[in-house]
Amino acid sequence: MRLVSQNENVASAAELLMQVGQGSRTAFQQLYNLQSSRLYAVALRITCRAPLASDAMHDAFLQVWRNAASFDPARGNAEAWLVTLVRYRALDIVRRRGREVSSEGMPERVDPEPDALSQLSQGREARALHACLSELAEDRRRLIVMAFVDGLSHSEVADRVQMPLGTVKSWIRRSLQALRTCLEGT
Amino acid sequence: MSDAPDELSVLAGEYVLGMLDENEAASVRRRAEIDPILARAIGDWESRFAPLAELVPPVAAPPMIWDRIERSLDAAQSPAPPTGYRPEPRGTRFWRATTAAALALAAVFAAIAYLPRNEAPPRLAALGVAGAPAPAFIAEARGDGYVTLTSVSPAPVPTGRDLELWLLPKGATTVTSLGLLLATGRRLAVPGLADGAQLLVSLEPQGGSPTGQPTGAVLYGGTLITR
């Protein structure tokens, strides 16, 4: 078996997270250095504002520090855990605040290209997700990707794609049902 | 009431995508704490959807984020008031305002009456202006490293401006941003707060101070003391 990580000289996020769980500040900083640009981008995309994205990162990383010992590598991968924490903090912030529509100074949001999904890494979850998203009609797949990446509510998605709210809700619902069936079969 | 597994899974999926509003999301979170099936469905969607984050091109995080995380950790790990705050030269306007805000300490005692009785004594501060009948916010720091800011009677925030919360640890000469503060309040992690630390609220351009230090008027302030 050959394990290839993107940078074999650097400890993986999972290894670092285990060390963080034992109280290593060095590992914590390495983990931050390894993951911060990826996670900050996720927070910025959802909050649309640098100070809010910074708040989300700060709060999420303190959670990482406090809860690293409870992370169970058998139950999920470290990158997914980190993304989840940062997304929830970012979503909390925009939900509480109400998202401002204007986002001056931000690069214009571009919907991910349909075949961008094929660039997803080749991890097991990524391959399964790619395969199952590919089974959805393109316009429905787009709504799911948009909702996740931009952290949009039903009505924000409806505004963005100029579709009735009821249609968006029912498409999302059916897409989730189809994805679940497909993913549980993979 | 019992939802079909399908309904539960859809609800969990909508929650993980981020499509629910604040109340719906809070209700799902509360329910997941006591409903292991919902909690499991949420966990499943979290790991299924996480790869989609790769679609967002990385953006270098501003260095101040790591500095702020480190300060929070240092504060959490040292029982003594944290040191290592780099003094920076400042204009006098901010400090004048800070001194005035510190006078609002008296309002703390009035504020205590509002608060529920609790087992561990919290640290409290009333953030207001001297002479005002009620504080703008009440800050309550508990042993879990979180501070809750409850909105009491803040003045309306002008359109296009934001409130930003600052920490001045006792004996420190420089404030640290704790992020933006909504008029409705906020709960945030600020480990290691000690008695005598001041919380200050300034009026900033929308999105917060561009410099990492207060640029607008300090509207409210208060000092944390153990109840």
Side-chain angles (χ1 to χ4, degrees):
Chain A
M1 189 173 84
R2 201 166 72 100
L3 284 175
V4 180
S5 69
Q6 281 183 322
N7 186 340
E8 297 190 26
N9 296 321
V10 175
S12 74
E15 288 160 358
L16 291 170
L17 203 46
M18 305 261 283
Q19 293 170 33
V20 174
Q22 292 154 11
S24 165
R25 283 278 290 263
T26 311
F28 187 57
Q29 181 155 15
Q30 285 171 351
L31 182 67
Y32 181 88
N33 292 342
L34 187 67
Q35 297 284 322
S36 63
S37 57
R38 191 175 74 88
L39 297 172
Y40 180 68
V42 167
L44 190 61
R45 179 86 182 207
I46 290 175
T47 61
C48 299
R49 287 185 185 278
L52 301 182
S54 300
D55 284 353
M57 286 286 281
H58 171 266
D59 293 359
F61 267 88
L62 290 191
Q63 279 187 301
V64 170
W65 175 253
R66 281 196 302 270
N67 300 332
S70 69
F71 169 75
D72 177 3
R75 280 199 55 237
N77 82 44
E79 283 92 349
W81 191 66
L82 295 169
V83 160
T84 300
L85 288 181
V86 169
R87 279 189 80 249
Y88 282 149
R89 294 289 72 74
L91 286 168
D92 279 349
I93 288 170
V94 292
R95 278 189 195 119
R96 224 170 288 160
R97 186 185 169 79
R99 194 188 319 257
E100 276 122 30
V101 184
S102 95
S103 47
E104 75 263 22
M106 290 285 299
E108 198 181 338
R109 286 156 179 255
V110 181
D111 287 344
E113 295 293 319
D115 63 321
L117 290 172
S118 61
Q119 297 161 18
L120 292 183
S121 66
Q122 293 305 303
R124 189 173 55 83
E125 286 92 352
R127 269 185 289 124
L129 182 69
H130 179 211
C132 291
L133 279 171
S134 306
E135 289 186 8
L136 298 179
E138 188 192 322
D139 45 4
R140 298 177 188 223
R141 176 169 65 232
R142 179 167 167 242
L143 297 196
I144 294 278
V145 172
M146 183 186 289
F148 181 91
V149 168
D150 292 327
L152 300 182
S153 68
H154 285 114
S155 51
E156 287 169 326
V157 170
D159 282 350
R160 178 89 71 89
V161 297
Q162 307 265 297
M163 277 172 44
L165 181 58
T167 311
V168 167
K169 283 189 174 175
S170 93
W171 280 19
I172 294 281
R173 151 179 298 273
R174 283 191 220 141
S175 299
L176 286 170
Q177 288 165 339
L179 278 176
R180 170 164 167 252
T181 308
C182 175
L183 287 163
E184 287 181 354
T186 55
Chain B
M1 193 193 84
S2 73
D3 289 322
D6 233 29
E7 287 301 307
L8 209 61
S9 169
V10 166
L11 182 66
E14 290 173 330
Y15 171 74
V16 172
L17 286 175
M19 305 198 82
L20 305 182
D21 69 27
E22 187 182 356
N23 291 334
E24 293 167 329
S27 136
V28 167
R29 257 197 297 262
R30 277 195 303 273
R31 198 173 144 193
E33 282 171 18
I34 53 167
D35 180 347
I37 301 173
L38 178 60
R40 172 82 192 271
I42 289 172
D44 285 348
W45 283 120
E46 285 169 355
S47 29
R48 288 166 183 162
F49 279 136
L52 286 179
E54 293 171 31
L55 297 175
V56 186
V59 179
M64 58 146 302
I65 299 179
W66 175 251
D67 295 344
R68 200 173 135 201
I69 292 169
E70 277 211 300
R71 279 195 297 265
S72 296
L73 288 188
D74 288 343
Q77 289 184 338
S78 63
T83 54
Y85 287 79
R86 280 165 294 145
E88 286 167 29
R90 296 201 45 80
T92 54
R93 192 172 62 129
F94 173 71
W95 292 114
R96 275 206 304 273
T98 304
T99 309
L103 298 175
L105 176 64
V108 169
F109 301 104
I112 287 169
Y114 295 128
L115 288 150
R117 311 232 158 258
N118 264 299
E119 51 308 327
R123 291 194 167 81
L124 296 172
L127 277 55
V129 289
F137 296 94
I138 294 175
E140 183 180 12
R142 294 200 164 270
D144 62 359
Y146 278 86
V147 174
T148 305
L149 284 124
T150 307
S151 175
V152 181
S153 63
V157 180
T159 310
R161 310 295 291 276
D162 272 322
L163 298 179
E164 188 159 353
L165 182 66
W166 306 89
L167 170 67
L168 181 67
K170 189 177 184 183
T173 51
T174 312
V175 293
T176 307
S177 175
L178 298 176
L180 298 181
L181 177 62
L182 303 186
T184 50
R186 189 176 171 204
R187 180 173 149 85
L188 73 165
V190 190
L193 280 176
D195 277 358
Q198 286 186 50
L199 292 170
L200 305 162
V201 179
S202 68
L203 187 64
E204 298 294 335
Q206 196 165 45
S209 162
T211 66
Q213 289 287 301
T215 62
V218 174
L219 301 179
Y220 315 116
T223 305
L224 284 166
I225 55 160
T226 299
R227 181 182 164 192

